[in-house]
Amino acid sequence: MFIRKKNFRLMGLAITFFMISGIYTSSPCIATELNSSTSNVKVGETQVKDFQRDIPSLAATYKDYFTIGTAVLPNQLDSSNIQSEFIKYQYNEIVAGNCMKMDATEPTENNFKFDDADKLLAYTQANNMKLRGHNLIWHSQVPAWFFQDKNDASKPASRDLLLSRMKNHIQNVAGRYAGKIDSWDVVNEVISDSNGLRDDSGNSKYKSIIGDVDGDGFDSDYIELAFKYAREADPKAKLIINDYGMEGSTRKRDDMYNLIKRLLEKGVPIDGVGLQMHVSMYSPSAQQVKDCIEKFATLKSIKPNFDIQVTEADMSIYNGNEPTKEVTNDIYLQQATQYKKLFEVFKEEAVKKNISTVMMWGEADCDTWLDDFPVKDRKDAPLLFDRNLQAKPAYWAIVDPSKVKGVFRQSVNTPKTTIAIGAAVDAKWSTLSSFDADNYVVGKNGAIASIKTAYDNDNLYVLADVKDSTVGDKDGIDIFVDKTGSKVEKYSATRTTNTDTIKTIDKADGYQVQFKIPFSGFTPVVGAKLAFDIKINDSVGNGEIASSAVWNDFSNKQDADSSKYGYLVLDADNKILETKYGIPTIDGNIDSVWDLASSVETNVLVEGKAGAKATVKTLWADSYLYVLCQVKDSVLDKTSKDDYQQDSVEAFLDENNSRGETYDADDVQYRVNYENKQSFNGKCDKAKFKSATKTTADGYVVEMAIPLKTPGVANKVMGFDAQVNDGTAGKRTGVLSWCDKTGKGYATMAKIGNIKLLALAGK
Ligand code: XIL
């Protein structure tokens, strides 16, 4: 057994983990002999008796949309193993979890081992299933000899030697199965977690050894040649470029997009992109996944059949590195809700012919690599069936939601602020984040809505922004509230309702409804939870309701009881920092113009323990937003090679305050460490950005001038946040922010605070 160290780095998120190879040849799920007495068979807590033979198969459920498959281990396909029956009952495609990777197929040079891969092929042929090939070229699970000189293992292989080995490997492996593999992951994980193509710092030697062979100025040649060799070896298979993390990081997604676009334009035979989809039940959101798929789908304008495949789906029950937790029913339900949202997206994208397959990375929870990743020995439960092969709520949520027992109750924060209801939508709404009512309980592909909520002492305010371009009699919204847990109240509006408390505004692609719901008798306090749900009904002309989408209760029992509503959690005042007009010199000295400015503190704990914290001030002028951070941090540390793990401050700016779930063109993140090292995320204007720092007796000062894309004007409200990273001995040990508690500012502006530009006399 040998251990490989691998780094996953996303801006603001670091997972260093040890991947243990060589332990994957047998599955912990049993093995139970078929047709024999099974009652005494136990592996750990696992006791597999039989799978459910009377429930719908995933393959049949999704047959009109996409193939659905799983990663397998060869021994699972033995006819004596119950898994072999289970896998073909539920799925119609398989992929090798490990046995087609280079360390398995070519452990020593030119000595190929195909027994296990052949076994997979025979199984698919006997059972009329598809086979995915995973993978031909990867920096991981590749034997050491591959990159070594033939005569001296201490020296690296030359470019020519490495290319000839790649070619030989691809010819032998892809060549052997030519015509029999549906899709090949030709290259795996070639995009870096920080920027551009993965290189030596991401443990990949391909780029540095091979470099720019054809002299076109790009060093993606090893990828281009791998696709060329693969096409020669197997002219029929779909050739896929596969990677992880693109669903949650627009930076990684866009780097991949730009790479594929350039290579397609150059004629490289790439047939599609593989989204691994190793996600968690906390993130990314369904909207992020959808945006990611739709971004890649635009490549069809270059190659009409360009395919998008979900290649390795699983959904961890953990949020990052949190410690082992017990798998409660509530966790199962939360996971089921998120699986349902993702599969709604997959279905919708399949209808648009954007995706063709969804592969699970394991047939059931007894067989998941996440039991050891990213934390060793932390048992996870990321798949659709449990450790005994029984259907989990997640399975039912995507097969027949009416059979899910119970519904996870989502929570959203509702800030305190008084809102005006009227002929126009109050500008204050733009300072609040939204959530979606997009879970279909009747029909599909109809109206959905983006919802915002707020409250004051007397009222609950709801804004529903409905997308519904077909006008119908029964178009409308139902709001359900149970303030005390004892009485369901229902408030309904149609497309034309206009009263003192409900106002509807027509829009080109739908309508907006503003509700003011009196608390009458209920006293709101910060922290109180109001049971809440909302349903969007859609009809065409004078027809019946064709579709209904809800926020929380997908069992659609809102009228009868409130036990499956979500919660509005009443929060403190909405945060807006008033920003005066003024122009400081960016030199690290605190000019007197800063005395004008209002200040806020970073006192929201995002991660780790509260260490370094900042007092933050802002000023604005026509083309800049100025930010001053006075940081208290007793020990300064920049020893980590990751910028975000060093003592540093970050500013987030969402100029149009659209608070999207992924970065838009106006969204930027600027980071500056205490020695004025800058780093960027989003469409930053690096040339115009200015910063200066100075260390002080108890910390440091950072001044920034953030270029505005649209000139500032008085009264404009923009999304803004500030964050302080506390590095200690090379690790980020604490993160404090002004507003966003999620720590996801590097991916979404949804939860950041606001600044309001104030007019100054004469301006
Ligand atoms: C994993 C396997 O499931 C494990 O058994 C093995 O120890 C490590 O690799 N991305 C990929 C897959 O492309 O090949 C990985 O599979 C999971 C991450």
Side-chain angles (χ1 to χ4, degrees), residues 637-678:
D637 179 76
K638 58 166 178 106
T639 45
S640 171
K641 67 178 170 46
D642 302 322
D643 296 317
Y644 67 89
Q645 308 226 44
Q646 303 175 357
D647 279 322
S648 53
V649 296
E650 303 184 9
F652 300 87
L653 182 66
D654 178 359
E655 277 193 39
N656 67 8
N657 222 355
S658 64
R659 300 179 167 269
E661 296 216 36
T662 48
Y663 269 34
D664 301 317
D666 63 305
D667 297 340
V668 286
Q669 176 188 10
Y670 289 94
R671 184 189 301 107
V672 179
N673 84 358
Y674 66 90
E675 290 196 338
N676 201 25
K677 177 159 190 270
Q678 304 172 347

Side-chain angles (χ1 to χ4, degrees), residues 402 561 737:
S402 71
D561 81 287
S737 79

Side-chain angles (χ1 to χ4, degrees), residues 6 8 19-24 71 73 96-98 101 134-135 138 140-141 185 188-189 242 244 276 278 312 361 368-369:
K6 194 170 168 181
F8 273 22
M19 210 157 71
I20 300 182
S21 303
I23 52 166
Y24 48 76
L73 301 167
N98 287 295
K101 295 173 181 172
H134 176 82
N135 54 58
W138 191 23
S140 186
Q141 293 182 264
D185 292 330
N188 196 30
E189 303 183 349
N242 192 44
Y244 64 87
Q276 291 188 359
H278 294 294
E312 306 181 12
W361 204 245
T368 171
W369 70 306

Side-chain angles (χ1 to χ4, degrees), residues 419-677:
I419 303 260
I421 300 292
V425 168
D426 190 331
K428 269 193 199 158
W429 283 117
S430 74
T431 65
L432 307 179
S433 59
S434 65
F435 55 98
D436 294 327
D438 59 355
N439 246 313
Y440 291 108
V441 292
V442 175
K444 58 183 180 195
N445 299 332
I448 55 170
S450 163
I451 314 297
K452 293 184 175 187
T453 55
Y455 77 102
D456 60 16
N457 288 338
D458 304 315
N459 301 292
L460 173 68
Y461 303 96
V462 181
L463 175 70
D465 204 331
V466 186
K467 282 218 173 60
D468 182 357
S469 45
T470 53
V471 178
D473 275 16
K474 298 203 171 59
D475 286 349
I477 296 176
D478 298 318
I479 286 182
F480 303 89
V481 196
D482 187 346
K483 295 168 197 150
T484 54
S486 56
K487 190 167 141 262
V488 169
E489 293 171 28
K490 183 172 175 182
Y491 301 86
S492 300
T494 69
R495 248 181 135 108
T496 52
T497 308
N498 268 307
T499 66
D500 287 349
T501 53
I502 304 177
K503 298 264 183 232
T504 309
I505 300 172
D506 221 31
K507 287 179 65 187
D509 62 348
Y511 56 101
Q512 282 176 314
V513 191
Q514 312 157 63
F515 289 88
K516 178 170 154 181
I517 297 172
F519 277 142
S520 48
F522 171 80
T523 311
V525 287
V526 171
K529 291 163 98 181
L530 292 187
F532 176 89
D533 210 348
I534 186 161
K535 188 188 285 183
I536 316 301
N537 299 315
D538 189 2
S539 70
V540 179
N542 296 326
E544 284 308 297
I545 290 175
S547 77
S548 297
V550 302
W551 173 48
N552 202 78
D553 180 6
F554 57 71
S555 73
N556 201 19
K557 302 264 161 51
Q558 284 85 347
D559 282 297
D561 81 287
S562 61
S563 69
K564 293 172 185 159
Y565 295 4
Y567 291 114
L568 302 183
V569 183
L570 303 188
D571 207 348
D573 289 352
N574 186 32
K575 288 185 183 171
I576 303 185
L577 172 59
E578 305 210 314
T579 301
K580 291 187 180 135
Y581 189 94
I583 305 181
T585 311
I586 303 299
D587 56 4
N589 296 321
I590 304 173
D591 309 352
S592 59
V593 65
W594 281 117
D595 297 345
L596 289 175
S598 315
S599 69
V600 290
E601 304 292 324
T602 59
N603 47 20
V604 172
L605 184 62
V606 177
E607 183 187 300
K609 56 179 196 309
K613 61 180 294 191
T615 302
V616 180
K617 291 184 169 187
T618 50
L619 288 169
W620 72 280
D622 306 71
S623 50
Y624 278 104
L625 173 73
Y626 302 101
V627 182
L628 169 68
C629 298
Q630 294 173 265
V631 185
K632 285 211 170 66
D633 186 351
S634 45
V635 185
L636 298 181
D637 179 76
K638 58 166 178 106
T639 45
S640 171
K641 67 178 170 46
D642 302 322
D643 296 317
Y644 67 89
Q645 308 226 44
Q646 303 175 357
D647 279 322
S648 53
V649 296
E650 303 184 9
F652 300 87
L653 182 66
D654 178 359
E655 277 193 39
N656 67 8
N657 222 355
S658 64
R659 300 179 167 269
E661 296 216 36
T662 48
Y663 269 34
D664 301 317
D666 63 305
D667 297 340
V668 286
Q669 176 188 10
Y670 289 94
R671 184 189 301 107
V672 179
N673 84 358
Y674 66 90
E675 290 196 338
N676 201 25
K677 177 159 190 270

